[in-house]
Amino acid sequence: MDKDILIKVCTGTGGVASGSKEVLETFKGTISSAGIAASFSERCSAQRVGCRGFCAQDVLVDVIINGEKTTYKHVKPDMVGKIFTEHILNGTPVAEWIVDKDYHTFHQKQTKVVLSHCGEIDPEDIHAYRAVDGYKAAKMALTSMSSQEIVNIVKNSNLRGRGGAGFPTGLKWELGLRIASDIKYVICNGDEGDPGAFMDRSVMEGDPHAVIEGMIICAKATESHHGYIYVRAEYPLAVKRLQMAIEQCYEAGFLGKNTFGSGFDFDLKIFQGAGAFVCGEATALMRSIEGKRGMPTPKLWRSAEKGLWDRPTVLNNVETFANIPRIILRGADWFMRLGTERSGGTKVISLSGKVKNTGLIEVPLGVTLREIVYEIGGGIEGGKSFKALQTGGPSGGCIPEELLDTEVDYESLALAGSIMGSGGMVVLDETSCMVNTAKFFLEFTQSESCGKCTPCRIGTKRMLEILERITTGRGKEGDLELLEELGHYIRATSLCGLGMTAPNPVLSTLRYFRDEYEQHIRNKKCPAAVCRDLITYSILEAVCTGCGACKRVCPADAIRGVRKKPHRINTELCVKCGTCFDACKFKAITKV
Amino acid sequence: MEEILQKILGEYRENEGNIISILQDIEKAFGFIPEETVTWFSKKLDIPASRFFGTATFYSQFHLKPRGKNIITVCRGTACHVKGSEKLLNRLFLELDIPPDEETSTDSKFTIEKVNCIGACGIAPVTILNKEVLGKMTLDNLMKEVKKIKARE
Ligand SMILES: Cc1cc2nc3c(=O)[nH]c(=O)nc-3n(C[C@H](O)[C@H](O)[C@H](O)COP(=O)(O)O)c2cc1C
């Protein structure tokens, strides 16, 4: 019998952390439980699906009855019973748990291409993928297209690499095809090291087959017979789902010898990274697969000529590959028209930080940052005011309010002093300190610098020391100029992209938020009250009710007072952890 | 121990592995990279031990010292940072009697680790308690979780 009642539960990393496994099990248990007639339970299917993007409202559950979809938010196992009896058995949705307007505005401005399967199909089931035209494109490519034809379509689509640099994918493949060699490699870069980015994770977890299909098509286009997917170790669920998908493909004859019966061989393996940001850089990644320290090498040759084990190699990002099957199926024109003149298609963006609707979104290139923050993101959380949008992770920069009408594409973001990068966007509000933010990123790049070249290894360390000085109240006149000078040298003289972009967060915040730096240096004040050494906590006697909540939570025993009388903080003992500030219900504690 | 190492060696030969895959297997089996395992492989494969250590110290996944029984990982990604993960981290160090510049408590019951980003930014700040990912963490809840573990120990 056909299943006309579908229950879809989000099981990405975000969903699982919010308890989606238990929710799914409870649904399954309820369906097969004794009280439900067998003829009815046969019509129901509860299935796992990938991330649908709106992680802030997880666990999200779709109940689809005869094609009519109702979505519930924040579902917990103990809510399942009610949803089942009232909605599924008796046809009345549980109104109070249904998603509200936010959920719909979140989706309205989006155009889902890469994410179109995420949240819709079971990522662990190849049949579910095939039911939505999966592997049709690969089959076409392998059985009825020439390598050059595929390359031409990709070139005409205007697809540019989603890994950060935006290199035209068709051109890269053409180079790969032209160079003759008995052994060539195709590599998928699933390292996604940028903190604040989770697009690639969601695609690998939610639609692993699309990535593999893209790679098969690339293999044919470049006449390569060996592939690797490099996934970072921090993504265990992505590794598991890709591994299952690869096994299913071997069984179905889509990978291995004579794929799709076309006579073309393609073998694909997963390589797990071991925790190093720099390994996302193409040459470092290849050294890592070779079992070496992941250090970038000068690009005397393009990887298309000499890459992995000195063989011609084409390397693309996860999202780049996931776009390919769609381009082959729907044509280059369709894809090109989705984007701007210079870059086709959509971009998946992970939106997080101090914004109401955090999660994964996909927009056509060319929408403005304001639309992303205020329409899709729903504006700033908790009635606070917007301060900056950080884009491009540790290689990017911070964009202030007045530039929010900038369009999302590679060139416009660069003009605004930031980069598109991998597509991570983190919203900062008035409670974020820009100096602290710059320091945060520099700490990251400094510790992730592989140490090979001096400007990056030592230069970032010196810059970090200056920022540490400034945030602890020891900043000096001339520090800002020194930061700028160092930044320019590091940018100009580093070997790889890590060093070349490491100063960006500092330089861009200096450009737009210089006064905040100056306040730290001249007045020894942190206007956002973030930098620990520059703030003091105290209790407003007039507001304090003497409830003692702060005293109980203080880990340093720094708060004194008797019940119902105003309390006091001993600033000598205070470790400035902020616990009391969060614990006070009467807003009696201030930090300045 | 010998048996486990033999098995790892077998897999290495079968799957054309490399130093990283050996180290990953050792780490999985022992929870860290004991020095004698490196000497063992170095002799068997005739690869200098320095290459193993050079690789092990490059990647954050490998540990040269034994780790605590319970591992608390605080995500230090951007979204988590913006949502206060530093506070969580500072409080953990304060609470768990961990010597300065170390990450494991003197009684070996706890190890605190930072991870660059686990990509669960939508539910920041995130901590991982013994492999279980917990989102939207607050100081209060974190201390409750720590107490639970302490009570078990
Ligand atoms: C420090 C550094 C880190 C990088 N990390 C990643 C990454 O995590 N994922 C990725 O796809 N590309 C990353 N890149 C870019 C890659 O070097 C490469 O350009 C990209 O994977 C090519 O794929 P694409 O053409 O599909 O964009 C990184 C580059 C640098 C310099």
Side-chain angles (χ1 to χ4, degrees), chain A residues 56 195 198 201 232 272 274-275 289 292-294 353 358 436 448 582, chain B residues 18 24 54 58-61 76 78 81 83 87 116-117 119 122 136:
Chain A
F198 52 101
R201 172 180 68 67
R232 60 197 289 252
Q272 278 198 57
I289 296 183
K292 302 182 183 135
R293 287 164 68 98
T358 55
N436 174 282
E448 290 297 330
D582 295 335
Chain B
N18 61 39
Q24 280 171 334
F58 187 85
Y59 296 99
S60 64
Q61 197 190 15
R76 291 291 286 136
T78 318
H81 175 74
K83 297 254 175 127
K87 264 194 203 165
N116 279 337
C117 181
K136 298 188 185 162

PDB file of all heavy atoms in Angstrom, chain A residues 56 195 198 201 232 272 274-275 289 292-294 353 358 436 448 582, chain B residues 18 24 54 58-61 76 78 81 83 87 116-117 119 122 136:
ATOM      1  N   ALA A  56      17.559  27.001  14.557  1.00  0.00           N
ATOM      2  CA  ALA A  56      17.104  27.680  15.768  1.00  0.00           C
ATOM      3  C   ALA A  56      15.791  27.096  16.275  1.00  0.00           C
ATOM      4  O   ALA A  56      15.474  27.217  17.442  1.00  0.00           O
ATOM      5  CB  ALA A  56      16.954  29.167  15.510  1.00  0.00           C
ATOM      6  N   PRO A 195      35.665  28.686  11.118  1.00  0.00           N
ATOM      7  CA  PRO A 195      34.716  28.661  12.224  1.00  0.00           C
ATOM      8  C   PRO A 195      33.500  29.503  11.848  1.00  0.00           C
ATOM      9  O   PRO A 195      33.639  30.572  11.253  1.00  0.00           O
ATOM     10  CB  PRO A 195      35.483  29.282  13.384  1.00  0.00           C
ATOM     11  CG  PRO A 195      36.613  30.027  12.775  1.00  0.00           C
ATOM     12  CD  PRO A 195      36.903  29.391  11.459  1.00  0.00           C
ATOM     13  N   PHE A 198      28.900  26.096   8.236  1.00  0.00           N
ATOM     14  CA  PHE A 198      28.454  24.705   8.264  1.00  0.00           C
ATOM     15  C   PHE A 198      27.650  24.319   7.039  1.00  0.00           C
ATOM     16  O   PHE A 198      26.861  23.385   7.061  1.00  0.00           O
ATOM     17  CB  PHE A 198      27.671  24.399   9.542  1.00  0.00           C
ATOM     18  CG  PHE A 198      26.527  25.339   9.842  1.00  0.00           C
ATOM     19  CD1 PHE A 198      25.218  24.995   9.569  1.00  0.00           C
ATOM     20  CD2 PHE A 198      26.783  26.566  10.419  1.00  0.00           C
ATOM     21  CE1 PHE A 198      24.172  25.849   9.863  1.00  0.00           C
ATOM     22  CE2 PHE A 198      25.741  27.444  10.719  1.00  0.00           C
ATOM     23  CZ  PHE A 198      24.428  27.082  10.439  1.00  0.00           C
ATOM     24  N   ARG A 201      29.029  20.834   5.745  1.00  0.00           N
ATOM     25  CA  ARG A 201      28.599  19.769   6.653  1.00  0.00           C
ATOM     26  C   ARG A 201      27.153  19.382   6.352  1.00  0.00           C
ATOM     27  O   ARG A 201      26.820  18.208   6.215  1.00  0.00           O
ATOM     28  CB  ARG A 201      28.707  20.205   8.108  1.00  0.00           C
ATOM     29  CG  ARG A 201      28.088  19.186   9.053  1.00  0.00           C
ATOM     30  CD  ARG A 201      28.179  19.563  10.511  1.00  0.00           C
ATOM     31  NE  ARG A 201      27.372  20.702  10.915  1.00  0.00           N
ATOM     32  CZ  ARG A 201      26.038  20.744  10.939  1.00  0.00           C
ATOM     33  NH1 ARG A 201      25.327  19.703  10.528  1.00  0.00           N
ATOM     34  NH2 ARG A 201      25.407  21.821  11.320  1.00  0.00           N
ATOM     35  N   ARG A 232      36.694  16.602   7.282  1.00  0.00           N
ATOM     36  CA  ARG A 232      37.372  16.830   8.554  1.00  0.00           C
ATOM     37  C   ARG A 232      36.833  15.901   9.642  1.00  0.00           C
ATOM     38  O   ARG A 232      35.668  15.506   9.637  1.00  0.00           O
ATOM     39  CB  ARG A 232      37.287  18.298   8.963  1.00  0.00           C
ATOM     40  CG  ARG A 232      35.928  18.863   9.157  1.00  0.00           C
ATOM     41  CD  ARG A 232      35.983  20.378   9.148  1.00  0.00           C
ATOM     42  NE  ARG A 232      36.617  20.908  10.331  1.00  0.00           N
ATOM     43  CZ  ARG A 232      35.986  21.538  11.318  1.00  0.00           C
ATOM     44  NH1 ARG A 232      34.696  21.717  11.258  1.00  0.00           N
ATOM     45  NH2 ARG A 232      36.643  21.978  12.341  1.00  0.00           N
ATOM     46  N   GLN A 272      39.901  10.963   6.033  1.00  0.00           N
ATOM     47  CA  GLN A 272      39.521  11.808   7.159  1.00  0.00           C
ATOM     48  C   GLN A 272      40.660  12.706   7.581  1.00  0.00           C
ATOM     49  O   GLN A 272      41.762  12.241   7.839  1.00  0.00           O
ATOM     50  CB  GLN A 272      39.138  10.937   8.352  1.00  0.00           C
ATOM     51  CG  GLN A 272      37.739  10.437   8.268  1.00  0.00           C
ATOM     52  CD  GLN A 272      37.277   9.966   9.639  1.00  0.00           C
ATOM     53  OE1 GLN A 272      37.286  10.708  10.606  1.00  0.00           O
ATOM     54  NE2 GLN A 272      36.870   8.723   9.701  1.00  0.00           N
ATOM     55  N   ALA A 274      42.654  15.389  10.109  1.00  0.00           N
ATOM     56  CA  ALA A 274      43.045  15.120  11.485  1.00  0.00           C
ATOM     57  C   ALA A 274      43.079  16.400  12.308  1.00  0.00           C
ATOM     58  O   ALA A 274      43.713  16.458  13.349  1.00  0.00           O
ATOM     59  CB  ALA A 274      44.393  14.414  11.522  1.00  0.00           C
ATOM     60  N   GLY A 275      42.383  17.423  11.826  1.00  0.00           N
ATOM     61  CA  GLY A 275      42.288  18.625  12.635  1.00  0.00           C
ATOM     62  C   GLY A 275      43.383  19.624  12.354  1.00  0.00           C
ATOM     63  O   GLY A 275      44.304  19.771  13.143  1.00  0.00           O
ATOM     64  N   ILE A 289      46.721  14.074   2.425  1.00  0.00           N
ATOM     65  CA  ILE A 289      46.316  12.757   1.898  1.00  0.00           C
ATOM     66  C   ILE A 289      47.552  11.883   1.682  1.00  0.00           C
ATOM     67  O   ILE A 289      47.524  10.674   1.853  1.00  0.00           O
ATOM     68  CB  ILE A 289      45.525  12.891   0.572  1.00  0.00           C
ATOM     69  CG1 ILE A 289      44.207  13.634   0.813  1.00  0.00           C
ATOM     70  CG2 ILE A 289      45.236  11.514  -0.033  1.00  0.00           C
ATOM     71  CD1 ILE A 289      43.327  13.765  -0.411  1.00  0.00           C
ATOM     72  N   LYS A 292      51.502  13.387   4.975  1.00  0.00           N
ATOM     73  CA  LYS A 292      52.520  14.295   5.488  1.00  0.00           C
ATOM     74  C   LYS A 292      51.907  15.391   6.348  1.00  0.00           C
ATOM     75  O   LYS A 292      50.693  15.497   6.470  1.00  0.00           O
ATOM     76  CB  LYS A 292      53.267  14.944   4.325  1.00  0.00           C
ATOM     77  CG  LYS A 292      53.913  13.932   3.422  1.00  0.00           C
ATOM     78  CD  LYS A 292      54.671  14.624   2.309  1.00  0.00           C
ATOM     79  CE  LYS A 292      55.254  13.578   1.368  1.00  0.00           C
ATOM     80  NZ  LYS A 292      55.035  13.934  -0.028  1.00  0.00           N
ATOM     81  N   ARG A 293      52.774  16.227   6.918  1.00  0.00           N
ATOM     82  CA  ARG A 293      52.286  17.428   7.578  1.00  0.00           C
ATOM     83  C   ARG A 293      51.599  18.272   6.513  1.00  0.00           C
ATOM     84  O   ARG A 293      52.105  18.399   5.398  1.00  0.00           O
ATOM     85  CB  ARG A 293      53.454  18.228   8.176  1.00  0.00           C
ATOM     86  CG  ARG A 293      54.068  17.595   9.408  1.00  0.00           C
ATOM     87  CD  ARG A 293      55.426  18.186   9.717  1.00  0.00           C
ATOM     88  NE  ARG A 293      55.377  19.578  10.146  1.00  0.00           N
ATOM     89  CZ  ARG A 293      55.405  19.979  11.415  1.00  0.00           C
ATOM     90  NH1 ARG A 293      55.475  19.090  12.371  1.00  0.00           N
ATOM     91  NH2 ARG A 293      55.374  21.255  11.727  1.00  0.00           N
ATOM     92  N   GLY A 294      50.470  18.837   6.854  1.00  0.00           N
ATOM     93  CA  GLY A 294      49.705  19.554   5.836  1.00  0.00           C
ATOM     94  C   GLY A 294      50.209  20.963   5.619  1.00  0.00           C
ATOM     95  O   GLY A 294      49.601  21.921   6.083  1.00  0.00           O
ATOM     96  N   GLY A 353      25.080  33.735  14.963  1.00  0.00           N
ATOM     97  CA  GLY A 353      25.383  34.886  15.798  1.00  0.00           C
ATOM     98  C   GLY A 353      24.121  35.490  16.377  1.00  0.00           C
ATOM     99  O   GLY A 353      23.131  34.809  16.633  1.00  0.00           O
ATOM    100  N   THR A 358      18.696  31.744  13.186  1.00  0.00           N
ATOM    101  CA  THR A 358      19.986  31.218  12.780  1.00  0.00           C
ATOM    102  C   THR A 358      19.750  29.945  11.992  1.00  0.00           C
ATOM    103  O   THR A 358      18.768  29.247  12.201  1.00  0.00           O
ATOM    104  CB  THR A 358      20.852  30.877  14.000  1.00  0.00           C
ATOM    105  OG1 THR A 358      20.118  29.986  14.842  1.00  0.00           O
ATOM    106  CG2 THR A 358      21.217  32.110  14.780  1.00  0.00           C
ATOM    107  N   ASN A 436      37.850  42.763  20.305  1.00  0.00           N
ATOM    108  CA  ASN A 436      37.832  41.377  20.762  1.00  0.00           C
ATOM    109  C   ASN A 436      37.547  40.425  19.598  1.00  0.00           C
ATOM    110  O   ASN A 436      38.135  39.361  19.485  1.00  0.00           O
ATOM    111  CB  ASN A 436      36.767  41.229  21.856  1.00  0.00           C
ATOM    112  CG  ASN A 436      36.573  39.793  22.286  1.00  0.00           C
ATOM    113  OD1 ASN A 436      35.922  39.004  21.608  1.00  0.00           O
ATOM    114  ND2 ASN A 436      37.167  39.421  23.408  1.00  0.00           N
ATOM    115  N   GLU A 448      46.636  28.427  13.914  1.00  0.00           N
ATOM    116  CA  GLU A 448      46.501  27.496  12.797  1.00  0.00           C
ATOM    117  C   GLU A 448      47.553  27.705  11.711  1.00  0.00           C
ATOM    118  O   GLU A 448      47.614  26.943  10.756  1.00  0.00           O
ATOM    119  CB  GLU A 448      45.103  27.587  12.188  1.00  0.00           C
ATOM    120  CG  GLU A 448      43.989  27.033  13.082  1.00  0.00           C
ATOM    121  CD  GLU A 448      44.118  25.541  13.361  1.00  0.00           C
ATOM    122  OE1 GLU A 448      44.651  24.817  12.500  1.00  0.00           O
ATOM    123  OE2 GLU A 448      43.716  25.103  14.452  1.00  0.00           O
ATOM    124  N   ASP A 582      24.363  37.346  34.758  1.00  0.00           N
ATOM    125  CA  ASP A 582      23.319  36.545  34.126  1.00  0.00           C
ATOM    126  C   ASP A 582      22.281  36.062  35.132  1.00  0.00           C
ATOM    127  O   ASP A 582      21.128  35.841  34.793  1.00  0.00           O
ATOM    128  CB  ASP A 582      23.938  35.317  33.428  1.00  0.00           C
ATOM    129  CG  ASP A 582      24.835  35.734  32.269  1.00  0.00           C
ATOM    130  OD1 ASP A 582      24.602  36.830  31.723  1.00  0.00           O
ATOM    131  OD2 ASP A 582      25.755  34.979  31.914  1.00  0.00           O
TER     132      ASP A 582
ATOM    133  N   ASN B  18      48.732   5.454   5.334  1.00  0.00           N
ATOM    134  CA  ASN B  18      49.887   6.315   5.514  1.00  0.00           C
ATOM    135  C   ASN B  18      50.036   6.645   6.987  1.00  0.00           C
ATOM    136  O   ASN B  18      49.297   6.147   7.822  1.00  0.00           O
ATOM    137  CB  ASN B  18      49.753   7.578   4.665  1.00  0.00           C
ATOM    138  CG  ASN B  18      48.537   8.379   5.048  1.00  0.00           C
ATOM    139  OD1 ASN B  18      48.198   8.488   6.228  1.00  0.00           O
ATOM    140  ND2 ASN B  18      47.854   8.922   4.058  1.00  0.00           N
ATOM    141  N   GLN B  24      45.832   7.723  13.418  1.00  0.00           N
ATOM    142  CA  GLN B  24      44.397   7.758  13.733  1.00  0.00           C
ATOM    143  C   GLN B  24      43.971   6.452  14.398  1.00  0.00           C
ATOM    144  O   GLN B  24      43.206   6.454  15.357  1.00  0.00           O
ATOM    145  CB  GLN B  24      43.567   8.014  12.469  1.00  0.00           C
ATOM    146  CG  GLN B  24      43.556   9.492  12.083  1.00  0.00           C
ATOM    147  CD  GLN B  24      42.929   9.769  10.722  1.00  0.00           C
ATOM    148  OE1 GLN B  24      42.925   8.911   9.846  1.00  0.00           O
ATOM    149  NE2 GLN B  24      42.444  10.992  10.524  1.00  0.00           N
ATOM    150  N   GLY B  54      56.422  14.370  14.103  1.00  0.00           N
ATOM    151  CA  GLY B  54      56.216  15.593  13.330  1.00  0.00           C
ATOM    152  C   GLY B  54      54.779  15.685  12.851  1.00  0.00           C
ATOM    153  O   GLY B  54      54.141  16.740  12.903  1.00  0.00           O
ATOM    154  N   PHE B  58      51.461  18.073  14.397  1.00  0.00           N
ATOM    155  CA  PHE B  58      50.893  19.041  13.458  1.00  0.00           C
ATOM    156  C   PHE B  58      49.372  19.093  13.543  1.00  0.00           C
ATOM    157  O   PHE B  58      48.758  20.138  13.411  1.00  0.00           O
ATOM    158  CB  PHE B  58      51.318  18.673  12.032  1.00  0.00           C
ATOM    159  CG  PHE B  58      50.926  19.690  11.000  1.00  0.00           C
ATOM    160  CD1 PHE B  58      51.736  20.798  10.754  1.00  0.00           C
ATOM    161  CD2 PHE B  58      49.744  19.560  10.273  1.00  0.00           C
ATOM    162  CE1 PHE B  58      51.380  21.746   9.816  1.00  0.00           C
ATOM    163  CE2 PHE B  58      49.383  20.509   9.327  1.00  0.00           C
ATOM    164  CZ  PHE B  58      50.208  21.601   9.093  1.00  0.00           C
ATOM    165  N   TYR B  59      48.758  17.950  13.772  1.00  0.00           N
ATOM    166  CA  TYR B  59      47.300  17.871  13.740  1.00  0.00           C
ATOM    167  C   TYR B  59      46.719  17.855  15.149  1.00  0.00           C
ATOM    168  O   TYR B  59      47.211  17.138  16.021  1.00  0.00           O
ATOM    169  CB  TYR B  59      46.860  16.609  13.000  1.00  0.00           C
ATOM    170  CG  TYR B  59      47.269  16.605  11.542  1.00  0.00           C
ATOM    171  CD1 TYR B  59      48.388  15.921  11.107  1.00  0.00           C
ATOM    172  CD2 TYR B  59      46.526  17.328  10.605  1.00  0.00           C
ATOM    173  CE1 TYR B  59      48.766  15.928   9.768  1.00  0.00           C
ATOM    174  CE2 TYR B  59      46.894  17.331   9.270  1.00  0.00           C
ATOM    175  CZ  TYR B  59      48.011  16.637   8.849  1.00  0.00           C
ATOM    176  OH  TYR B  59      48.373  16.640   7.529  1.00  0.00           O
ATOM    177  N   SER B  60      45.650  18.592  15.339  1.00  0.00           N
ATOM    178  CA  SER B  60      45.110  18.723  16.692  1.00  0.00           C
ATOM    179  C   SER B  60      44.383  17.475  17.169  1.00  0.00           C
ATOM    180  O   SER B  60      44.075  17.323  18.335  1.00  0.00           O
ATOM    181  CB  SER B  60      44.171  19.922  16.767  1.00  0.00           C
ATOM    182  OG  SER B  60      43.058  19.695  15.935  1.00  0.00           O
ATOM    183  N   GLN B  61      44.113  16.552  16.251  1.00  0.00           N
ATOM    184  CA  GLN B  61      43.389  15.345  16.637  1.00  0.00           C
ATOM    185  C   GLN B  61      44.243  14.395  17.475  1.00  0.00           C
ATOM    186  O   GLN B  61      43.720  13.526  18.160  1.00  0.00           O
ATOM    187  CB  GLN B  61      42.940  14.629  15.355  1.00  0.00           C
ATOM    188  CG  GLN B  61      41.872  13.605  15.561  1.00  0.00           C
ATOM    189  CD  GLN B  61      41.668  12.774  14.296  1.00  0.00           C
ATOM    190  OE1 GLN B  61      42.487  12.770  13.373  1.00  0.00           O
ATOM    191  NE2 GLN B  61      40.576  12.054  14.239  1.00  0.00           N
ATOM    192  N   ARG B  76      34.854  26.577  19.973  1.00  0.00           N
ATOM    193  CA  ARG B  76      35.338  27.944  19.942  1.00  0.00           C
ATOM    194  C   ARG B  76      35.146  28.544  18.552  1.00  0.00           C
ATOM    195  O   ARG B  76      35.952  29.341  18.094  1.00  0.00           O
ATOM    196  CB  ARG B  76      36.810  27.993  20.370  1.00  0.00           C
ATOM    197  CG  ARG B  76      37.009  27.671  21.834  1.00  0.00           C
ATOM    198  CD  ARG B  76      36.454  28.754  22.751  1.00  0.00           C
ATOM    199  NE  ARG B  76      37.306  29.932  22.758  1.00  0.00           N
ATOM    200  CZ  ARG B  76      36.862  31.183  22.684  1.00  0.00           C
ATOM    201  NH1 ARG B  76      35.570  31.419  22.561  1.00  0.00           N
ATOM    202  NH2 ARG B  76      37.682  32.206  22.719  1.00  0.00           N
ATOM    203  N   THR B  78      33.154  30.868  15.683  1.00  0.00           N
ATOM    204  CA  THR B  78      32.768  32.277  15.782  1.00  0.00           C
ATOM    205  C   THR B  78      31.408  32.468  16.433  1.00  0.00           C
ATOM    206  O   THR B  78      31.237  33.300  17.325  1.00  0.00           O
ATOM    207  CB  THR B  78      32.710  32.901  14.380  1.00  0.00           C
ATOM    208  OG1 THR B  78      33.834  32.428  13.664  1.00  0.00           O
ATOM    209  CG2 THR B  78      32.761  34.396  14.463  1.00  0.00           C
ATOM    210  N   HIS B  81      31.611  31.810  20.004  1.00  0.00           N
ATOM    211  CA  HIS B  81      32.346  32.890  20.673  1.00  0.00           C
ATOM    212  C   HIS B  81      31.425  34.082  20.923  1.00  0.00           C
ATOM    213  O   HIS B  81      31.366  34.628  22.018  1.00  0.00           O
ATOM    214  CB  HIS B  81      33.531  33.322  19.812  1.00  0.00           C
ATOM    215  CG  HIS B  81      34.283  34.508  20.361  1.00  0.00           C
ATOM    216  ND1 HIS B  81      35.120  34.397  21.445  1.00  0.00           N
ATOM    217  CD2 HIS B  81      34.293  35.813  20.005  1.00  0.00           C
ATOM    218  CE1 HIS B  81      35.616  35.598  21.729  1.00  0.00           C
ATOM    219  NE2 HIS B  81      35.140  36.474  20.865  1.00  0.00           N
ATOM    220  N   LYS B  83      28.349  34.056  21.213  1.00  0.00           N
ATOM    221  CA  LYS B  83      27.318  33.714  22.203  1.00  0.00           C
ATOM    222  C   LYS B  83      27.913  33.289  23.542  1.00  0.00           C
ATOM    223  O   LYS B  83      27.255  32.600  24.330  1.00  0.00           O
ATOM    224  CB  LYS B  83      26.438  32.599  21.645  1.00  0.00           C
ATOM    225  CG  LYS B  83      25.677  33.007  20.412  1.00  0.00           C
ATOM    226  CD  LYS B  83      24.211  33.211  20.730  1.00  0.00           C
ATOM    227  CE  LYS B  83      23.456  33.730  19.541  1.00  0.00           C
ATOM    228  NZ  LYS B  83      22.289  32.916  19.227  1.00  0.00           N
ATOM    229  N   LYS B  87      33.208  32.359  28.241  1.00  0.00           N
ATOM    230  CA  LYS B  87      32.746  32.322  29.627  1.00  0.00           C
ATOM    231  C   LYS B  87      32.632  30.889  30.115  1.00  0.00           C
ATOM    232  O   LYS B  87      33.019  30.555  31.225  1.00  0.00           O
ATOM    233  CB  LYS B  87      31.348  32.945  29.701  1.00  0.00           C
ATOM    234  CG  LYS B  87      31.300  34.389  30.090  1.00  0.00           C
ATOM    235  CD  LYS B  87      29.839  34.673  30.438  1.00  0.00           C
ATOM    236  CE  LYS B  87      29.511  36.143  30.306  1.00  0.00           C
ATOM    237  NZ  LYS B  87      28.065  36.369  30.289  1.00  0.00           N
ATOM    238  N   ASN B 116      37.764  23.953  17.057  1.00  0.00           N
ATOM    239  CA  ASN B 116      37.633  25.186  16.284  1.00  0.00           C
ATOM    240  C   ASN B 116      36.213  25.497  15.873  1.00  0.00           C
ATOM    241  O   ASN B 116      35.790  26.628  15.883  1.00  0.00           O
ATOM    242  CB  ASN B 116      38.528  25.137  15.057  1.00  0.00           C
ATOM    243  CG  ASN B 116      39.949  25.488  15.423  1.00  0.00           C
ATOM    244  OD1 ASN B 116      40.175  26.145  16.442  1.00  0.00           O
ATOM    245  ND2 ASN B 116      40.889  25.033  14.648  1.00  0.00           N
ATOM    246  N   CYS B 117      35.488  24.482  15.463  1.00  0.00           N
ATOM    247  CA  CYS B 117      34.093  24.712  15.089  1.00  0.00           C
ATOM    248  C   CYS B 117      33.555  23.362  14.703  1.00  0.00           C
ATOM    249  O   CYS B 117      34.171  22.649  13.938  1.00  0.00           O
ATOM    250  CB  CYS B 117      33.974  25.649  13.880  1.00  0.00           C
ATOM    251  SG  CYS B 117      32.254  25.969  13.419  1.00  0.00           S
ATOM    252  N   GLY B 119      30.531  23.195  13.480  1.00  0.00           N
ATOM    253  CA  GLY B 119      29.530  23.471  12.460  1.00  0.00           C
ATOM    254  C   GLY B 119      28.102  23.340  12.950  1.00  0.00           C
ATOM    255  O   GLY B 119      27.193  23.114  12.167  1.00  0.00           O
ATOM    256  N   GLY B 122      24.061  27.050  14.437  1.00  0.00           N
ATOM    257  CA  GLY B 122      22.674  27.453  14.609  1.00  0.00           C
ATOM    258  C   GLY B 122      22.187  27.280  16.041  1.00  0.00           C
ATOM    259  O   GLY B 122      21.199  27.880  16.427  1.00  0.00           O
ATOM    260  N   LYS B 136      22.907  25.342  22.663  1.00  0.00           N
ATOM    261  CA  LYS B 136      22.369  26.439  23.471  1.00  0.00           C
ATOM    262  C   LYS B 136      22.749  26.302  24.945  1.00  0.00           C
ATOM    263  O   LYS B 136      21.912  26.366  25.844  1.00  0.00           O
ATOM    264  CB  LYS B 136      20.846  26.505  23.318  1.00  0.00           C
ATOM    265  CG  LYS B 136      20.450  26.780  21.871  1.00  0.00           C
ATOM    266  CD  LYS B 136      18.977  27.050  21.731  1.00  0.00           C
ATOM    267  CE  LYS B 136      18.629  27.202  20.245  1.00  0.00           C
ATOM    268  NZ  LYS B 136      17.221  27.064  19.945  1.00  0.00           N
TER     269      LYS B 136
END
